[in-house]
């Protein structure tokens, strides 16, 4: 790459990052004398397509104003002019955004937009078979918009899925009103056919089970149905027999997290066992496995809770979780999140009076201090551990010191943590600590309206203060917050 090439690529990036379509159009007309093909490819992909993706993302996040969809149309039209051919899938995508904007109040307009999207995608299918799946989703929307023709459009959607060799839980298990005549029978027939095909496909491509389960779990969470619940159970049983020796690490993580969540939700020990198997395989394959150690320890912790709920002892599973952390402590200490989770786990063991073997106070505080240093004061977790340990040992001075440090760094942003801590204390807790927490909560309530976060101390500055200076600094900071001008609504 020569210097001139680098220069125009930098210019292109600046234009796109500035969301400037007008400048991008002007830039696209300045064709260089050499490397024209490379230039055209870069302008198309890094220019128009990237700008489209930026606008599209902002639209999905609700960041664009009322003219956002018009901007998207303008980008697509300009990209088509530069490319020299229609970009029908992008046109259909913008039409889908418009459908979402109109379907609640202007149903007829939404149907017209959906039919236009179908037309665009139909012209694209001969050169891009993925347009079939997109068209299936569009037919599904038409079925939801037009009750009189719902069965017709839904059948068209499933025909496209079949032609594409795809399987969509969101389409096949959509719950329709009872008033749509013939839909239930049609769904039962089509599902039976698709499930038979999918079972055959899973035997050939077993890794597909995870994308199916991911969609099914999310759909059952937001749109529960007995039919989907039954199918979800069958797919989970398939997942329990999934061979993971050759699986990629990211797929192992996906499987482990999903099975852990389902094991917890359904209280099924066999899901926990398979989740642990997935995380064990990940750890052997990927050197960056600090979080997977935490995930696996969390499965053992929830398994312990399951055993306790069934009248059994869960201590053996807590011991396994601790063993996992100790075995991989070196890499756990490299990652702030896993290090903090480790410290919090040991704290839980420390407070568990049923255990015969528990970590020492020094071990927990060592991890908490290490996490505090690594987090550079941006996280409250390490300080809260130190405060709770001090409260446990009735060391009010140390507890107040750590609480004041936390408040000087986080102020009202940790109001829920302060409330939870106060709520967890019994009548046996130090009166000095409970009075401090009560006064802090009263202060927070008094200044919450119009409050804004603007801490007076960095972590480095806090580390230079003595205990007495830290407590005095928090007293002074409270007066400053009370007296400063508040934000207006």
């Amino acid at each position: 790459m020569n210097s001139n090439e680098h220069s125009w690529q930098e210019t292109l990036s600046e234009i796109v990052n500035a969301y400037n379509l007008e400048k991008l159009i002007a830039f696209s007309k300045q064709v260089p004398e050499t490397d024209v093909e490379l230039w055209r490819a870069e302008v198309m992909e890094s220019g128009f397509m990237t700008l489209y993706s930026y606008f599209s993302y902002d639209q999905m996040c609700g960041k664009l104003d009322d003219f956002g969809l018009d901007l998207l149309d303008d980008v697509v039209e300009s990209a088509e002019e530069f490319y020299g051919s229609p970009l029908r899938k992008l046109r259909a995508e913008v039409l889908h955004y418009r459908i979402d904007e109109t379907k609640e109040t202007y149903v007829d307009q939404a149907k017209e937009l959906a039919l236009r999207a179908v037309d665009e995608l139909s012209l694209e299918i001969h050169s891009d078979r993925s347009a079939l799946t997109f068209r299936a989703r569009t037919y599904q929307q038409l079925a939801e918009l037009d009750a009189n023709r719902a069965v017709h459009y839904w059948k068209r959607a499933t025909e496209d899925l079949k032609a594409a060799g795809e399987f969509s839980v969101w389409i096949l298990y959509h719950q329709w009103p009872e008033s749509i005549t013939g839909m239930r029978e049609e769904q039962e027939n089509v599902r039976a056919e698709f499930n038979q095909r999918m079972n055959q496909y899973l035997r050939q491509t077993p890794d597909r089970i995870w994308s199916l389960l991911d969609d099914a779990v999310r759909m059952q969470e937001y749109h529960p149905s007995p039919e989907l619940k039954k199918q979800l159970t069958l797919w989970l049983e398939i997942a329990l027999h999934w061979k993971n020796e050759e699986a990629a690490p990211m797929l192992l993580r996906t499987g482990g997290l999903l099975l852990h969540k389902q094991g917890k939700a359904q209280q099924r020990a066999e899901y926990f066992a398979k989740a642990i198997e997935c995380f064990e395989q990940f750890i052997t394959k990927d050197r960056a496995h600090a979080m997977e150690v935490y995930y696996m320890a969390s499965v053992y912790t929830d398994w312990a809770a399951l055993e306790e709920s069934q009248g059994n002892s869960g201590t053996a599973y807590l011991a396994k979780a601790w063993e996992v952390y100790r075995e991989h402590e070196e890499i756990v200490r490299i990652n702030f999140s896993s290090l903090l989770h480790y410290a919090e786990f040991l704290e839980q063991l420390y407070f568990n009076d049923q255990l015969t073997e528990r970590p020492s106070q020094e071990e927990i505080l060592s991890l908490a201090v290490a996490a505090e240093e690594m987090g550079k004061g941006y996280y409250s977790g390490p300080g809260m551990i130190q405060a709770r340990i001090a409260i446990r040992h009735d060391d009010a001075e140390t507890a107040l010191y750590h609480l004041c440090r936390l408040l000087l760094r986080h102020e009202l942003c940790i109001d829920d943590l302060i409330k939870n801590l106060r709520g967890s204390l019994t009548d046996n807790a130090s009166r000095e600590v409970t009075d401090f927490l009560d006064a802090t909560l009263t202060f927070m309530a008094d200044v919450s309206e119009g409050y804004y976060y603007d801490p007076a101390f960095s972590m480095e500055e806090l580390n230079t203060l003595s205990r007495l200076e830290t407590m005095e600094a928090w007293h002074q900071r409270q007066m400053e917050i009370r007296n400063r001008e508040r934000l207006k609504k």
Side-chain angles (χ1 to χ4, degrees), residues 456-472:
F457 289 86
S458 67
M459 198 64 186
E460 291 77 11
E461 291 168 332
L462 280 180
N463 288 337
T464 66
L465 302 182
S466 67
R467 292 192 172 195
L468 180 60
E469 289 171 335
T470 301
M471 296 177 193
E472 290 176 347

Side-chain angles (χ1 to χ4, degrees), residues 15 46 126 169 264 302 416 441 473-474:
I15 291 171
S46 302
H126 72 281
V169 171
K264 191 173 181 180
D302 287 332
D416 285 340
L441 290 170
W474 173 238

Side-chain angles (χ1 to χ4, degrees), residues 439-447 451 475-486:
T440 301
L441 290 170
T442 299
F443 162 74
M444 289 178 165
D446 290 345
V447 302
Y451 166 81
H475 178 71
Q476 177 65 30
R477 183 58 179 161
Q478 288 179 87
M479 291 191 294
E480 292 172 358
I481 293 173
R482 283 188 186 277
N483 295 330
R484 74 185 180 184
E485 186 175 350
R486 302 188 183 185

